[in-house]
Amino acid sequence: MRVLKSNSLLALVNSYISDSPQPVNLSYAWNFGSLLAICLGTQIVTGVLLAMHYTPSVDLAFISVEHIMRDVNYGWMIRYIHANVASFFFIFVYLHIARGLYYGSYKAPRIMPWSIGVIILVLMMAIAFLGYVLPYGQMSLWGATVITNMLSAIPWIGTDFTQFIWGGFSVNNATLNRFFSLHYLLPFVLAALAAMHMLTLHTHGSSNPEGISANPDKAPMHPYYIFKDLITIFLFFIALATLVMYAPNLLGHSDNYIPANPMQTPPSIVPEWYLLPFYAILRSIPNKLLGVVGMLGALLILLAMPLLDDGRGRGDVHRPASRVAFWVFVGIFFLLMFLGSQHAEEPYITVGAVATAAYFLWFVMLLPIIGMMENSSFDGTNAPASSQAV
Amino acid sequence: MRPSAPAQSHMPGPKTYGGWWGDIGSLPQKGIKTYGVSPYRQRAMAGALNGYIFNGFSRVMGHLPYVAPPALFFYGVYYWSKSKYEYFNSKQGHYDRLIEEGHIKPGQYERPTVTPIGH
């Protein structure tokens, strides 16, 4: 017997990525899982290398990053890969979630992988935020100030809790050390969650674009999907190399090349692009506590997708109204992303408030109503002739 | 080990949606015949480029009615709010707001002569 099947650990590898039966009709929308695994691996490897040369101290953090850029052999490349893969990580995770929304991947029996995925998304955002603080440029300091201040909205204990997190009365040396420690630790928690994501997916297998059982026609993961995954992995490497070699700072903010200065706020404080939609929701709600609740709610409402989508079919492929609704959601998402990058002035304040309302109404109203309508029209056209109204 | 062994190993586990090879969960299939074509007769890439271009095009076009209305609407909102923002920050916008809020009367001062950007 081949050792790949007899060894208890290799048998797992075989069961997950070699012999695993996959639907034969998977499209390229099913390639993001492998890309995300590559991203996490790259981030951990480059992150460990960066940590060998980085110093988490308010006096030395900025110059230690400059030291990495100038003195460490290929340090510039390691850092730029780390920074840009973070962006790709979010591009892929958003596309992965969009695939899940469009094709109904959140529906039973795959509620567990979906729920773990939402937790992964929230954790990923936290890790990305913590990492952005580490170079200790202007945007690091003031971004950290804005985001940690959100904790002060917690009733009664807010201010005390925020100062507890800071380890002082503002973002300071203790905060930077804590953030470094957590930025190193949490990716391993993320890796464990990703393993659980795969574990729960493996129980039932992948869904497929048609939304019906693929059991009658399956193909093994290797070689079919291993090589299909490799196509997008190499495309990703080409895009990443282009960005790292030719435009490494395209997705960053120039203010983060100014050393952090607690005596001067930058003209505008904006997070990285991937946090903008949720930042827009935070700013659109005038009440501080409700803003924080709204921002977290915007992420966690994804957990309710299996309940909110009452359509009987899986996915939007055979449901035209749901398909339009999906693209409406994409539109709201991009609009919020744009609004998050702008100054909080009119008309962006009003448009932001409406877009925030639209974001939540999409989940709690549009989705269930469209599901109901489509179920009714399905029943109307498919009911037995004897039960149809004359 | 038979490939279906993991599924039949009597390990405790949930009722699964898709099984393993040999017990995949579909109706039992029988009478399956397989044929092969000699590698010298195969045309593995026949029609691939044609299908990629024309089938791809028709698939994208078929999806357009679902994507275009929301995309146009949200681009409209984006465009409207951007031009409104520019107007609010223009001389004309400031002038109009002073009138609107009653700080000056229409015609009290000369209107700004500089054309605002984007108008």
Side-chain angles (χ1 to χ4, degrees):
Chain A
M1 197 196 306
R2 293 177 65 196
V3 68
L4 192 61
K5 292 182 184 177
S6 59
N7 180 286
S8 53
L9 284 174
L10 290 180
L12 275 175
V13 175
N14 177 61
S15 157
Y16 273 77
I17 59 171
S18 181
D19 270 358
S20 172
Q22 304 294 331
V24 291
N25 59 336
L26 297 186
S27 71
Y28 274 101
W30 267 256
N31 278 30
F32 297 116
S34 63
L35 286 167
L36 288 163
I38 296 282
C39 282
L40 181 58
T42 312
Q43 289 302 74
I44 289 179
V45 170
T46 54
V48 167
L49 292 175
L50 287 170
M52 292 173 183
H53 303 280
Y54 171 76
T55 312
S57 148
V58 285
D59 294 327
L60 296 170
F62 190 87
I63 51 174
S64 74
V65 171
E66 278 309 298
H67 158 72
I68 290 169
M69 296 293 283
R70 291 156 191 252
D71 307 329
V72 176
N73 289 334
Y74 291 102
W76 59 273
M77 194 166 80
I78 298 168
R79 177 171 174 243
Y80 279 149
I81 289 174
H82 198 71
N84 283 291
V85 169
S87 277
F88 276 105
F89 212 148
F90 276 95
I91 292 174
F92 295 146
V93 101
Y94 284 143
L95 289 170
H96 193 58
I97 294 167
R99 189 287 315 266
L101 289 174
Y102 187 86
Y103 291 104
S105 304
Y106 46 82
K107 289 204 159 195
R110 296 181 194 84
I111 295 176
M112 273 301 272
W114 174 261
S115 308
I116 294 169
V118 177
I119 305 302
I120 288 177
L121 173 68
V122 177
L123 186 65
M124 242 180 91
M125 289 184 161
I127 294 170
F129 158 71
L130 293 172
Y132 195 65
V133 178
L134 302 185
Y136 221 54
Q138 272 290 66
M139 212 52 98
S140 299
L141 171 63
W142 293 102
T145 304
V146 169
I147 301 299
T148 48
N149 257 309
M150 287 175 6
L151 298 170
S152 70
I154 302 171
W156 196 46
I157 60 160
T159 308
D160 292 333
F161 186 62
T162 311
Q163 289 172 357
F164 171 70
I165 296 292
W166 281 338
F169 298 99
S170 66
V171 176
N172 64 79
N173 197 49
T175 325
L176 184 65
N177 270 278
R178 286 159 190 203
F179 281 15
F180 177 54
S181 175
L182 289 172
H183 186 67
Y184 206 119
L185 170 72
L186 292 178
F188 296 100
V189 177
L190 188 81
L193 280 168
M196 287 162 69
H197 194 59
M198 282 178 69
L199 209 68
T200 49
L201 174 73
H202 193 65
T203 305
H204 296 287
S206 293
S207 67
N208 69 88
E210 284 296 315
I212 52 175
S213 174
N215 284 344
D217 206 357
K218 293 216 174 182
M221 179 86 172
H222 180 75
Y224 296 103
Y225 287 110
I226 291 292
F227 282 93
K228 190 175 179 181
D229 281 347
L230 278 174
I231 293 176
T232 44
I233 287 170
F234 288 134
L235 285 174
F236 161 48
F237 285 166
I238 292 172
L240 175 67
T242 310
L243 214 56
V244 167
M245 302 296 169
Y246 294 103
N249 292 306
L250 184 73
L251 300 167
H253 197 294
S254 50
D255 273 12
N256 223 27
Y257 281 101
I258 305 168
N261 181 357
M263 301 299 284
Q264 188 190 39
T265 44
S268 63
I269 301 170
V270 281
E272 291 282 85
W273 68 267
Y274 39 80
L275 300 177
L276 287 175
F278 303 98
Y279 187 57
I281 289 174
L282 172 75
R283 289 196 310 186
S284 293
I285 302 172
N287 180 288
K288 191 173 180 180
L289 178 60
L290 288 181
V292 176
V293 169
M295 191 188 72
L296 274 176
L299 291 164
L300 295 180
I301 200 166
L302 288 167
L303 288 171
M305 278 304 290
L307 297 171
L308 295 170
D309 179 5
D310 53 358
R312 276 200 288 276
R314 179 197 304 284
D316 297 347
V317 173
H318 303 295
R319 298 160 65 198
S322 292
R323 208 189 260 199
V324 177
F326 170 81
W327 290 109
V328 167
F329 182 74
V330 173
I332 295 170
F333 186 82
F334 277 107
L335 183 64
L336 282 169
M337 191 182 275
F338 163 69
L339 293 167
S341 70
Q342 300 300 308
H343 292 289
E345 293 171 9
E346 282 298 347
Y348 297 137
I349 295 171
T350 311
V351 178
V354 175
T356 300
Y359 182 94
F360 287 104
L361 286 176
W362 188 89
F363 285 97
V364 299
M365 276 187 70
L366 193 66
L367 195 65
I369 288 174
I370 284 190
M372 237 184 293
M373 279 166 53
E374 279 175 340
N375 284 350
S376 307
S377 93
F378 179 84
D379 292 344
T381 48
N382 289 281
S386 57
S387 69
Q388 274 178 359
V390 186
Chain B
M1 190 174 75
R2 284 159 58 94
S4 57
Q8 295 161 356
S9 62
H10 307 292
M11 283 281 287
K15 185 185 183 307
T16 57
Y17 182 74
W20 200 256
W21 302 112
D23 184 23
I24 210 112
S26 60
L27 291 171
Q29 298 183 7
K30 51 185 179 177
I32 298 172
K33 294 184 176 65
T34 51
Y35 299 91
V37 180
S38 154
Y40 299 106
R41 291 278 173 171
Q42 280 178 10
R43 295 166 60 231
M45 298 303 286
L49 189 65
N50 199 54
Y52 178 75
I53 295 169
F54 293 101
N55 192 23
F57 179 77
S58 65
R59 283 177 68 175
V60 170
M61 287 297 115
H63 206 79
L64 207 59
Y66 304 96
V67 184
L72 283 174
F73 174 77
F74 284 101
Y75 181 76
V77 174
Y78 161 80
Y79 188 84
W80 174 84
S81 47
K82 259 190 112 156
S83 47
K84 199 80 177 163
Y85 181 76
E86 277 175 13
Y87 164 73
F88 282 150
N89 288 288
S90 67
K91 284 191 174 181
Q92 182 73 51
H94 291 176
Y95 181 80
D96 292 349
R97 204 169 99 198
L98 288 174
I99 294 172
E100 198 178 298
E101 293 179 354
H103 298 298
I104 57 170
K105 294 191 182 76
Q108 186 177 354
Y109 295 101
E110 207 176 307
R111 284 164 65 90
T113 49
V114 180
T115 316
I117 302 159
H119 287 269

